[in-house]
Amino acid sequence: GHTTGPSLNNDKIYKFAYSAEVYVDQVKASLQKSAGYRISSGVDVNLLWRNPDNDDDQLIKITIRDVQIENVNERPAAKNIFKGKSTEKIIRKEYLEALQRPIILELVRGKVKNFYSYQNEPGFTQNIKRGLASLFQLQLHSGAAREVDISGNCNTTYHVRQDQVTKIKDLESCEIEKQGFTSHNKILDVTTKATSATIYVLEDSFIKSIKAEENYVSLLNSRRKTGSKIVSKQKLELKSVEAGAGLIAAKQVASVIKTLDSSYVAVTLVAEPVKSECKKCPSLSEHWKSIREYMYPEKLSKAEAARSFLSFIQNIRKATKEEILQIIRSENKELLPQVVDAVTSAQTPESLEAILEFLDFKDASTSILQERFLYACGFASHPSENLLKSLTAIFKGDIANEEMRETLVTVMGALIRKLCEKEGCKLPAVVEAKRVILSRLEKAKKDDNVRMYLLALKNALLPEAIPLLLKYAESGEGPISNLAATALQRYDPSFLTKEVKKTMNRIYHQNRQVHEKTVRTTAAAIILNSNPSYMEVKNILLSIGELSLEMNKYMLSMIQDILQFEMPSSKRVRQVLKDMRVHNYDRFAKMGSSSAYSGYVTRGPDVSSTYSLDILYSGSGILRRSNVNIHVFDRNAELHASQVVIEAQGLESIIAATPDEGEENLDSFAGMSAILFDVQLRPVTFFQGYGDLMSKMFSATGDPINVVKGLILLTDHSQEIQLQSGPRASTEFLGGLAIDISGGMEFSLWYRESKTNVKNRIAMFTAGNTEVDSFFMKTGMETSLEIETALDFISTVQFSQYPFLVCMQMDRVESPFRRYVTKYESLPSGRRYTAKRGKAELLAGNEFPLHQENSNMCRKVFGAKSDSSSNWF
C-alpha cells in the first residue's frame, strides 16, 4: 500500500543493535580521552497492527534486551569503575527489569502519535526509552516541521536524498520546561551552542541504520579557552530480519493496547525532569564546618576564600530556610559578614526569607551585616522582582542607621536597572520602586535626602530621570550639582538629548552662573563623549587658555588623551585643531599639574581592560579630585569594573593658600566614592568641616579607610540539559571574587606634601562543572581558574613650590594564576575514576608607565626628598 512514513512488513521481527554514548571534555579536545560511558543493547521491533482504513497508521512494539554498560574509552583495569560488575549490579535489578519492559508506538505517516509505556516506571528508564522511541520518528519528504520528541516541541528540518534522510533539530527552539539562570552582564556570562543531527539509511521502506549526534558547548566569555562540551551519540543498526508473530486484528488502537496489557498508558514523549538523590552529600552545616577557616576577614584576598564562597553558595541553593538560619544564628561576628555575602548571593526564595528574618533594620548595632546584605543584593547576578519588593518594603519602614537608608535606596536603584535591562521595567515592584525614588526626590528639602535619591538614580539610569538630573546639575549646590552631573555621565550617549548637551555647554561655559571646576570638567567630558558637534569642540578648545591654570592643564590633558587613545570623538577634535586660530601655541603650553590619562591594563583575545586616571588640583596644589577607573570590554559588551574617586575641597586654609575664584566659601571636606561592577556604592566621608579635619589631621595615622571588603558572585550560569538519548546533563559556571579595596589620604605640613593611596586586593576563582547524570552513574568535568592580584595607585604631591610636583604610580604585583581540569566517572557506591591536569604560572608584576611628563615628575619627587615618609604627623 501507499505510505508516506517508514513501513514494516507483517509477521517479521527486526533485530537491531543499539548504543548510546556520552562524552564530556574540553571544547577543542578529541573524544579519545573524554570522560563518559556507553549503554549498548539489542532492540527488537515488530509490527502489531495496521489500521484497516489507513495503512499509514501502524502500531509497533519495541523491546530492549541484553543491556551492557561500559567505558566509552578503554580504561586500564585499575581505572575501570565497572570492572567485575554485572549490568544488573550497576543498574540495579528493578531498573533493569523496567528497561526491558516493551514499549508500544503508534506511528502515523512516520510521526509518533502515541507512546505507550507503564505509568509507575522510574523516570530515568522511561527517559532512555523515550530517547530510543524518538529515533523512530521521521518523514520521507524534505521540508520543515514542528515535532514533539524527547527534547520537547522543536523546529525540525528534513533533507531527503534517495534512501538517506537527514534530520536537523534546532535545539534552541525546543519548548520544554527549562531550569537555570545566567549572569546579568554579558562579559561575566557564558555562551552556549547546541546542535543535533540524525542520519537515517532506509532499505525496503524501513530503517537500515540510524546515527544521531548532539553537541552542547559552553564557553566562558571572559576566557573562551575555558569551557566544556557534551557529545551524545546514538546508533541503531539492523542486524537481521526473522520470522515473528502475526498481526492483531482490530478496528481501534485502544482495543489492541488492551489486549496486550491493560497496564499500558499513553505517556508524553517529552522527557520528564529527574535528578538522582545524593546519598553521601554533606549537610549544609557539615559543609560550612569544612570551609569555615578560609572565610576569616584576613584571608579574603586569597583564592581559597573565593573557592569556598562558591561551593558554599551551591550548597545554600539546595538548603531549606531552617538549615540556613541555623548557621547564621550560630556564627560569630567575625565570620557572619561572609556568611551574609554567601546567603544573599544564593538568590533562592529560601535564602532570601532566611536573611530577611535574621536582619533587623530597626537595630543599628548590626549595620555592618545590613550593609553586606545590601551590597550583595546590588551585585545580584539574576535578581528577582521579589527581592526589589522586599527592599522597597524595608525602605518604607523604620531604619535605625541613616547610612543604611542611603545604601538601601542606592541598591534599589541598581536592582531597578538590572530588572529593566531584562525586560522587567513594567513589573509592579519595579514601577513602585521607581515611583518611590522619583516622588521622594521631588519632595526632598534637605541636601542629604536629595543626595541619597540622586545616588539611586545614578544606579537606576532611568531615561525619565534625565530632566531631574539636569535641574540639579545646573542649579544644585556644589556637591549636589556634581553628583547629578556624574550620574548623567553614566548614561549611554544615545540617551543624551539636545537638551542635555545644551545644559552641559551652559555649565561648562558658565553662561548662567559660576560652577565648581569638578562639575565643569564633568560637563566637558559628557559633551566630548557624546558625538560632539564641530562648534561644541571648537568652543571648548577656545576656552582653554581662559581658564584657571589647573583647570586649563586638566582640559588640555583631556583633549590629548582623546587624541592619543583614539576615542570616538578624536576625529572631530583633529578636524577642529586644523583651524589654526584654535591651535595657538600659547594656549597649549600652559603650566600646571592636573592631568587625564588612559591606557590598557590587559589586552587579550577575548576581553581587554583599560584604566583611566585623572587628577584635578586647585591652584594651590591641593587635590580637588582624583579618579581611577577600570573598564573591561569585549566585542559586544562593556563592564565598569571599578571607579574610585577621592574628592577634597576647601582645604586651602590648612596651608594658608588662596582658594580659587568661586571657591572661597567651600566647606572643608574630603571623601571617597566608588563604583564596583557597575554599581555605585554609598560614598565614604574622610572628614567634613574644618574642626573635623583638624582633629583627624593631628591624629592621622595614614591608615587607609576600608571602602569595600567582601565576597562577590560575578559569573553565575546554570543550565539543565535534556540529552536526546535519555540522561539529564547540567552545566554550571560560578565565578567569585574576594575583594578588599581601601583608600586613604595623608598630609605632612612639615614636608608640605600629601599622599593619596588606593589599594585593590583581589582574588578570583571560577569553577565550572559539566555533568551527565544517569541514575546509575555520573560523569563530567570540573574546571577551575584562580588568580590573586593587587593593584596599587599612589599619588604624591609636593606643594612647596609652583607648579607643584605630582608623581602618580600604578603598580600591579606579581600574580599567581592557576588552572585545573578534572574529568571524572563515578558510581553511587563511591567508586570513582578521575584524571586531573593543571597548570600554574606567575604573571609578572607591572608598573604602568602612565605618561612621560609623569615619569619626569616622579624622578624629581623621589630625588628631591630623603626618607620623609616616616615623619607623618
Side-chain angles (χ1 to χ4, degrees):
H2 164 76
T3 64
T4 49
S7 171
L8 287 79
N9 290 326
N10 307 359
D11 314 335
K12 299 281 186 218
I13 190 159
Y14 295 78
K15 290 190 164 293
F16 290 90
Y18 176 61
S19 71
E21 299 172 337
V22 172
Y23 302 82
V24 183
D25 212 327
Q26 296 186 77
V27 179
K28 293 265 166 53
S30 76
L31 300 180
Q32 275 86 27
K33 290 190 173 160
S34 303
Y37 61 89
R38 177 188 301 115
I39 299 181
S40 51
S41 72
V43 169
D44 293 351
V45 181
N46 63 300
L47 182 68
L48 293 172
W49 171 85
R50 187 177 267 129
N51 189 335
D53 306 327
N54 170 11
D55 53 7
D56 206 12
D57 178 0
Q58 323 169 71
L59 267 190
I60 63 172
K61 176 174 157 188
I62 301 175
T63 313
I64 296 174
R65 56 179 168 76
D66 308 331
V67 180
Q68 294 290 315
I69 305 229
E70 54 204 340
N71 294 117
V72 73
N73 285 312
E74 284 303 307
R75 301 256 180 262
K79 293 194 164 186
N80 180 354
I81 59 170
F82 303 127
K83 184 176 157 36
K85 285 181 180 275
S86 65
T87 303
E88 187 172 303
K89 192 132 194 217
I90 299 168
I91 293 191
R92 301 220 304 271
K93 190 172 176 207
E94 65 270 31
Y95 280 107
L96 189 56
E97 283 171 0
L99 204 50
Q100 294 177 348
R101 283 199 287 266
I103 51 172
I104 315 289
L105 288 187
E106 182 182 4
L107 291 174
V108 178
R109 290 192 287 283
K111 302 293 171 89
V112 177
K113 186 181 174 187
N114 280 303
F115 166 66
Y116 297 95
S117 184
Y118 295 92
Q119 197 151 21
N120 51 0
E121 185 143 320
F124 277 110
T125 55
Q126 197 81 288
N127 282 347
I128 289 176
K129 292 178 178 181
R130 288 179 167 116
L132 176 59
S134 296
L135 289 177
F136 284 88
Q137 175 156 271
L138 93 143
Q139 72 182 36
L140 297 182
H141 57 91
S142 294
R146 252 192 99 84
E147 279 186 4
V148 174
D149 69 1
I150 181 168
S151 311
N153 188 341
C154 311
N155 292 340
T156 311
T157 312
Y158 287 92
H159 301 280
V160 180
R161 268 210 334 267
Q162 285 146 333
D163 283 338
Q164 185 171 316
V165 179
T166 306
K167 169 161 91 171
I168 305 286
K169 186 158 57 174
D170 174 10
L171 293 169
E172 303 290 324
S173 72
C174 295
E175 284 170 22
I176 189 169
E177 191 188 331
K178 289 192 175 83
Q179 285 178 309
F181 40 79
T182 190
S183 308
H184 167 75
N185 186 292
K186 287 278 178 290
I187 290 176
L188 305 172
D189 202 11
V190 172
T191 296
T192 54
K193 291 191 181 77
T195 56
S196 160
T198 309
I199 295 170
Y200 294 83
V201 177
L202 305 174
E203 186 178 71
D204 189 19
S205 82
F206 194 52
I207 292 159
K208 184 186 179 190
S209 72
I210 304 177
K211 280 186 178 161
E213 184 173 318
E214 190 179 28
N215 283 277
Y216 286 90
V217 171
S218 304
L219 300 167
L220 210 51
N221 290 347
S222 56
R223 189 178 189 275
R224 297 178 80 86
K225 271 189 195 155
T226 299
S228 66
K229 70 175 168 192
I230 300 172
V231 180
S232 160
K233 297 182 177 190
Q234 288 165 282
K235 199 159 79 190
L236 191 72
E237 281 180 308
L238 184 63
K239 291 297 182 195
S240 63
V241 181
E242 297 169 14
L247 293 184
I248 298 169
K251 276 266 189 242
Q252 302 288 333
V253 172
S255 45
V256 183
I257 298 293
K258 230 187 196 106
T259 318
L260 290 165
D261 185 339
S262 58
S263 314
Y264 271 126
V265 286
V267 290
T268 170
L269 203 49
V270 179
E272 57 190 277
V274 279
K275 250 202 163 26
S276 55
E277 281 306 301
C278 182
K279 297 212 169 43
K280 298 193 171 177
C281 286
S283 69
L284 187 63
S285 59
E286 284 166 345
H287 174 76
W288 170 242
K289 284 190 188 97
S290 71
I291 58 166
R292 196 173 170 267
E293 60 176 298
Y294 304 116
M295 305 292 264
Y296 281 95
E298 64 275 13
K299 294 191 178 168
L300 285 194
S301 51
K302 291 276 170 272
E304 199 50 69
R307 178 213 299 264
S308 304
F309 171 62
L310 297 181
S311 65
F312 193 29
I313 287 174
Q314 283 174 305
N315 277 302
I316 294 169
R317 284 181 169 164
K318 299 175 197 143
T320 63
K321 174 179 152 183
E322 278 62 41
E323 290 173 300
I324 299 168
L325 274 170
Q326 186 192 342
I327 291 181
I328 302 179
R329 290 194 166 129
S330 61
E331 206 34 273
N332 69 36
K333 68 169 195 281
E334 231 187 327
L335 288 164
L336 255 178
Q338 290 72 265
V339 174
V340 170
D341 286 340
V343 171
T344 313
S345 301
Q347 299 167 75
T348 61
E350 291 76 12
S351 65
L352 179 60
E353 277 179 34
I355 194 78
L356 288 175
E357 184 168 314
F358 171 71
L359 288 176
D360 177 7
F361 281 83
K362 297 184 185 71
D363 175 5
S365 70
T366 58
S367 56
I368 266 187
L369 300 178
Q370 294 166 27
E371 181 168 66
R372 289 287 272 266
F373 160 70
L374 291 171
Y375 281 150
C377 291
F379 297 129
S381 49
H382 50 98
S384 64
E385 184 191 4
N386 195 28
L387 176 60
L388 180 57
K389 193 175 166 182
S390 307
L391 293 188
T392 309
I394 295 170
F395 185 69
K396 289 174 177 172
D398 292 339
I399 298 171
N401 181 326
E402 201 42 47
E403 288 185 343
M404 283 317 102
R405 195 178 181 71
E406 243 185 78
T407 309
L408 174 52
V409 75
T410 308
V411 165
M412 282 163 61
L415 293 180
I416 289 172
R417 176 176 172 203
K418 286 185 177 182
L419 289 164
C420 281
E421 282 176 359
K422 288 266 188 280
E423 265 59 279
C425 243
K426 299 213 161 41
L427 295 169
V430 179
V431 173
E432 175 57 11
K434 288 200 291 195
R435 187 196 66 74
V436 168
I437 292 168
L438 291 168
S439 66
R440 293 199 181 185
L441 175 57
E442 299 262 12
K443 294 193 198 91
K445 295 280 180 284
K446 295 210 321 253
D447 271 5
D448 283 357
N449 286 341
V450 171
R451 187 180 84 141
M452 170 165 95
Y453 297 115
L454 288 178
L455 282 167
L457 292 178
K458 189 171 174 181
N459 272 334
L461 297 182
L462 301 169
E464 63 265 40
I466 290 176
L468 266 172
L469 292 171
L470 287 176
K471 179 186 101 175
Y472 282 107
E474 192 166 21
S475 54
E477 285 285 301
I480 296 284
S481 137
N482 189 19
L483 177 53
T486 58
L488 287 163
Q489 197 176 11
R490 291 195 70 202
Y491 280 84
D492 187 87
S494 61
F495 285 105
L496 303 179
T497 55
K498 279 204 182 80
E499 199 45 52
V500 176
K501 305 270 287 272
K502 271 188 195 154
T503 311
M504 292 304 114
N505 278 295
R506 282 199 304 269
I507 291 174
Y508 176 73
H509 296 292
Q510 305 196 97
N511 304 67
R512 289 190 178 165
Q513 66 190 74
V514 174
H515 293 278
E516 285 181 36
K517 287 199 282 288
T518 45
V519 184
R520 292 178 67 192
T521 49
T522 303
I526 291 173
I527 297 165
L528 291 169
N529 191 34
S530 39
N531 192 12
S533 68
Y534 183 89
M535 277 317 289
E536 282 177 321
V537 173
K538 184 172 177 179
N539 286 334
I540 286 177
L541 289 176
L542 283 171
S543 73
I544 296 177
E546 316 296 320
L547 306 165
S548 65
L549 278 179
E550 284 303 326
M551 183 162 163
N552 219 35
K553 178 72 174 42
Y554 181 88
M555 290 303 300
L556 250 166
S557 193
M558 187 195 276
I559 297 287
Q560 279 161 343
D561 195 36
I562 288 172
L563 296 172
Q564 269 163 354
F565 208 63
E566 295 285 340
M567 292 179 190
S569 56
S570 57
K571 287 193 181 68
R572 182 55 52 85
V573 174
R574 283 204 170 84
Q575 185 193 350
V576 177
L577 281 172
K578 283 191 181 139
D579 175 352
M580 275 317 288
R581 207 171 81 72
V582 180
H583 204 111
N584 162 337
Y585 178 74
D586 175 53
R587 190 183 301 281
F588 287 107
K590 293 291 179 190
M591 303 201 308
S593 308
S594 300
S595 66
Y597 187 73
S598 306
Y600 281 95
V601 182
T602 55
R603 293 180 90 156
D606 308 313
V607 168
S608 295
S609 54
T610 57
Y611 64 88
S612 68
L613 193 56
D614 62 85
I615 278 206
L616 176 64
Y617 291 95
S618 69
S620 55
I622 297 254
L623 175 79
R624 281 293 267 123
R625 180 183 66 212
S626 88
N627 186 350
V628 191
N629 285 283
I630 294 177
H631 284 269
V632 183
F633 56 91
D634 62 11
R635 289 180 198 85
N636 356 354
E638 184 184 348
L639 174 65
H640 197 168
S642 77
Q643 176 187 66
V644 179
V645 181
I646 293 183
E647 291 203 53
Q649 62 175 41
L651 303 187
E652 280 71 17
S653 52
I654 321 176
I655 55 166
T658 316
D660 291 6
E661 182 201 359
E663 302 194 348
E664 296 84 1
N665 303 325
L666 291 182
D667 197 12
S668 303
F669 164 81
M672 173 150 137
S673 164
I675 290 175
L676 201 56
F677 301 109
D678 273 330
V679 179
Q680 165 74 48
L681 310 181
R682 179 178 52 78
V684 186
T685 301
F686 293 154
F687 52 78
Q688 175 92 48
Y690 188 71
D692 190 22
L693 162 68
M694 279 329 213
S695 68
K696 289 210 170 114
M697 266 185 69
F698 288 105
S699 63
T701 50
D703 282 351
I705 291 188
N706 184 55
V707 185
V708 183
K709 192 182 192 106
L711 296 151
I712 300 175
L713 178 63
L714 291 178
T715 297
D716 192 12
H717 173 90
S718 164
Q719 187 187 12
E720 296 271 335
I721 298 165
Q722 177 58 53
L723 298 179
Q724 58 192 26
S725 56
R728 293 283 280 189
S730 62
T731 310
E732 267 196 319
F733 279 93
L734 288 173
L737 187 71
I739 190 164
D740 189 343
I741 299 182
S742 54
M745 194 172 174
E746 348 173 17
F747 281 101
S748 161
L749 286 183
W750 189 256
Y751 286 97
R752 297 185 80 75
E753 180 172 281
S754 81
K755 245 188 189 178
T756 341
N757 186 345
V758 176
K759 277 181 160 40
N760 298 280
R761 300 268 169 284
I762 290 172
M764 272 184 98
F765 194 91
T766 303
N769 185 20
T770 296
E771 182 171 85
V772 177
D773 176 9
S774 292
F775 57 100
F776 56 87
M777 75 170 291
K778 287 184 174 183
T779 180
M781 179 180 76
E782 293 175 347
T783 50
S784 68
L785 300 174
E786 55 183 83
I787 184 163
E788 290 168 13
T789 187
L791 199 62
D792 284 352
F793 164 67
I794 303 164
S795 64
T796 311
V797 186
Q798 290 186 345
F799 37 77
S800 44
Q801 72 218 57
Y802 191 85
F804 33 86
L805 299 176
V806 180
C807 164
M808 292 184 285
Q809 294 154 287
M810 188 158 128
D811 300 339
R812 187 180 67 218
V813 299
E814 189 175 59
S815 314
F817 175 60
R818 294 180 281 271
R819 53 181 195 273
Y820 300 103
V821 174
T822 308
K823 296 177 214 173
Y824 60 89
E825 295 162 359
S826 71
L827 297 176
S829 64
R831 193 190 273 198
R832 192 174 166 91
Y833 155 77
T834 56
K836 182 171 181 170
R837 290 182 40 220
K839 187 175 178 190
E841 49 193 309
L842 260 182
L843 306 178
N846 186 358
E847 189 169 323
F848 294 92
L850 305 180
H851 42 88
Q852 189 55 51
E853 193 182 348
N854 183 57
S855 308
N856 301 342
M857 283 255 205
C858 288
R859 282 193 205 99
K860 284 189 192 164
V861 168
F862 291 108
K865 70 179 211 200
S866 57
D867 181 36
S868 65
S869 55
S870 58
N871 292 318
W872 300 109
F873 289 110

